[in-house]
Amino acid sequence: MSKYWSDFVGTLDPYTPGEQPANTNLTKLNTNENPYPPSPAVMEAMRCAVNDDLRLYPPPNADLLKQTIADYFQLTPAQVFVGNGSDEVLAHVFNGLFRQAQPILFPDISYSFYPVYCGLYAIEFNKIPLAEDFTLNLDDYRRANGGIIFPNPNAPTGRLLALDAIESLLQENSDSVVVVDEAYIDFADANASAVSLIDQYDNLLVVQTMSKSRALAGLRIGYALGSAHLVEGLERIKNSFNSYPLGHVQLAAAVASFNDRDYFEATRKQVISSRELLVDQLETLGFEVLPSAANFVFARHGAYLGADLTRSLREQNIIIRHFNKPRIDEFLRITVGTPEQNQQLIAALTELVG
Ligand SMILES: *Cc1c(COP(=O)(O)O)cnc(C)c1O
C-alpha cells in the first residue's frame, strides 16, 4: 500500500505466473513452455530483422503478419487481431467485449488470469463448476450472460471439449460473445480447433498463442481470430492503448514461424508422442491422469499429497506446478519435456512413490 496509489490499485488481485528460476540447472516442467527451441528459420528471420530499421516504428497494423496468419487459417486479414502475447489479446477481449450488463461465465477450474482481468475492468463473473470428472457441462451455461470464455483444451486439466459442444454453446448464446482460448490446441487432434466455425458464427472469437506450440514464449506474440466486427472492436481498444504492440523482430519471427510448417509439425508431434508415453508411465506408477490434449498432464496419486510430491521433486531440481486451490490441490501439473527430461521426472517419481 502506498498513499500515492489510486484507491483502485489497492483493490487489484494480480496474477502470479509460474516461477522463472534464475538457476538454469533445473528441469523446468512448470510453465508449459516448449521443450524444443524455435525453428531455425525463426532464428534467421530475427537475425535479419536486427538492422538499422529498428530506429523506425514497426508497422502499426502488422499487415504482413495478419496476412500470413489469415492464409494459414484460410481467413481474411480483417478476421485476424494480433497482440503482445495472448494475455494482452485477452485483456483487450475482456475490456472491449466483456464489459456487459450481465456477468460473464467461465469454469471454476480454468485459466486463473480470467478473474484478474475481471478485477481490472470491473466485470462481474460467475464461475461455473466443472463436473466431477472435470468436463464442462453445457446445461450449466444455459443462463443469461454477458459472454463466455474457457480454455480448450482446458488449463490446468488438459481436457478437450468437443467441437459439437462448442457449436451448441454458440447457437444457444447468439447474443453474447463466446471466446475459446486455444493456447494448447496444436497438441490436440487435428480438427479440434473452433477456427473452422468462424465463418458460421459471428459471436465466436478464437484466441491462440505462439508461446506454447511455436516455442516463442519469450517473444510475446498472440492473436485472435473471429468475425471482422469483433476484430474491429479489438482494434479500437488496441489503438486506444498501444499502437505498436509488436516490434520488427517479433513480427519477423512470427511470419517465419507460420511459414516453416515442417518444423512446427515435427516438434508438435514429438511433444504429443512424449505425452502419451509420460501418461503410460505415470499410470504405471499408480497416478490417475486426466485425458490430456495439451503439452502438459494433470495427475494425482491417491497415496501422496500434491504439495509434498512437488516439494520432493524440487529437492531433486525438478520443478512442476501445484495449485493450492479447492478441488485440484491433490494434482500435479507437469509440462511435457524432452524425452530425457521426462525420464528424469519418472525416475524421481519412481523413487518417491514406487
Ligand atoms: C499460456 C496461456 C495463455 C497466455 O499465453 P501468452 O501468449 O504467453 O500470453 C493464455 N491462455 C492460456 C489458457 C494459457 O495457458
Side-chain angles (χ1 to χ4, degrees):
M1 270 296 194
S2 158
K3 68 173 181 177
Y4 299 112
W5 290 1
S6 67
D7 291 345
F8 174 66
V9 175
T11 70
L12 294 175
D13 187 9
Y15 178 73
T16 322
E19 185 188 355
Q20 293 295 345
N23 174 0
T24 50
N25 288 328
L26 296 175
T27 298
K28 190 173 180 306
L29 303 176
N30 68 329
T31 51
N32 300 341
E33 288 138 337
N34 202 302
Y36 300 108
S39 141
V42 168
M43 301 301 215
E44 183 55 27
M46 285 196 285
R47 276 191 287 271
C48 290
V50 177
N51 62 40
D52 290 355
D53 284 351
L54 286 174
R55 74 191 173 78
L56 303 172
Y57 282 106
N61 295 317
D63 297 309
L64 177 60
L65 177 57
K66 284 187 177 180
Q67 185 68 56
T68 304
I69 293 175
D71 291 346
Y72 185 89
F73 290 103
Q74 295 172 319
L75 298 168
T76 65
Q79 293 172 298
V80 181
F81 178 77
V82 299
N84 194 268
S86 62
D87 285 340
E88 184 188 81
V89 173
L90 289 167
H92 293 335
V93 167
F94 278 71
N95 195 4
L97 305 175
F98 282 170
R99 290 167 77 164
Q100 307 288 350
Q102 297 286 340
I104 68 161
L105 311 179
F106 50 82
D108 61 337
I109 296 158
S110 75
Y111 190 34
S112 36
F113 225 132
Y114 302 156
V116 176
Y117 293 131
C118 288
L120 181 60
Y121 296 118
I123 296 165
E124 299 283 333
F125 61 92
N126 287 146
K127 284 187 180 178
I128 310 293
L130 293 176
E132 197 69 32
D133 62 356
F134 300 102
T135 53
L136 186 147
N137 186 357
L138 288 188
D139 288 340
D140 301 333
Y141 289 78
R142 296 198 174 101
R143 57 169 93 181
N145 65 74
I148 297 173
I149 184 167
F150 54 90
N152 198 43
N154 198 4
T157 67
R159 295 209 70 147
L160 185 77
L161 184 68
L163 215 50
D164 56 349
I166 294 175
E167 195 161 6
S168 301
L169 274 176
L170 288 162
Q171 287 166 354
E172 290 165 12
N173 294 280
S174 56
D175 288 336
S176 41
V177 176
V178 176
V179 178
V180 186
D181 181 355
E182 293 190 337
Y184 301 103
I185 197 69
D186 294 322
F187 303 107
D189 285 343
N191 307 324
S193 172
V195 170
S196 60
L197 301 174
I198 286 173
D199 282 330
Q200 270 169 280
Y201 297 96
D202 67 355
N203 58 330
L204 168 63
L205 191 78
V206 178
V207 177
Q208 295 192 358
T209 175
M210 303 190 75
S211 296
K212 277 80 182 224
S213 59
R214 293 180 182 276
L216 291 172
L219 269 193
R220 315 303 303 126
I221 310 161
Y223 50 96
L225 309 168
S227 56
H229 65 98
L230 292 182
V231 170
E232 192 190 337
L234 296 174
E235 294 291 350
R236 289 174 70 91
I237 295 281
K238 173 246 171 193
N239 289 321
S240 307
F241 177 80
N242 177 4
S243 309
Y244 307 103
L246 296 181
H248 289 295
V249 179
Q250 285 164 297
L251 291 168
V255 168
S257 172
F258 277 101
N259 287 337
D260 189 354
R261 288 187 189 230
D262 290 347
Y263 184 88
F264 172 68
E265 287 300 327
T267 49
R268 180 174 82 85
K269 286 182 180 143
Q270 177 61 56
V271 170
I272 294 170
S273 72
S274 296
R275 177 188 72 211
E276 299 310 310
L277 179 62
L278 185 60
V279 169
D280 283 349
Q281 291 174 317
L282 288 169
E283 285 176 347
T284 303
L285 287 174
F287 283 90
E288 176 201 344
V289 188
L290 298 188
S292 171
N295 69 336
F296 58 85
V297 297
F298 207 48
R300 68 176 149 192
H301 196 292
Y304 298 87
L305 292 175
D308 290 346
L309 287 175
T310 304
R311 198 175 318 109
S312 303
L313 287 171
R314 171 99 208 189
E315 284 160 11
Q316 302 188 46
N317 287 336
I318 299 171
I319 55 173
I320 61 166
R321 193 104 193 248
H322 173 256
F323 297 92
N324 202 2
K325 287 188 185 167
R327 294 190 73 188
I328 56 170
D329 62 335
E330 292 174 22
F331 282 86
L332 312 177
R333 195 197 66 188
I334 304 167
T335 304
V336 177
T338 61
E340 298 71 33
Q341 291 176 315
N342 300 336
Q343 275 333 103
Q344 217 185 324
L345 171 89
I346 292 297
L349 284 174
T350 304
E351 291 286 308
L352 292 169
V353 310

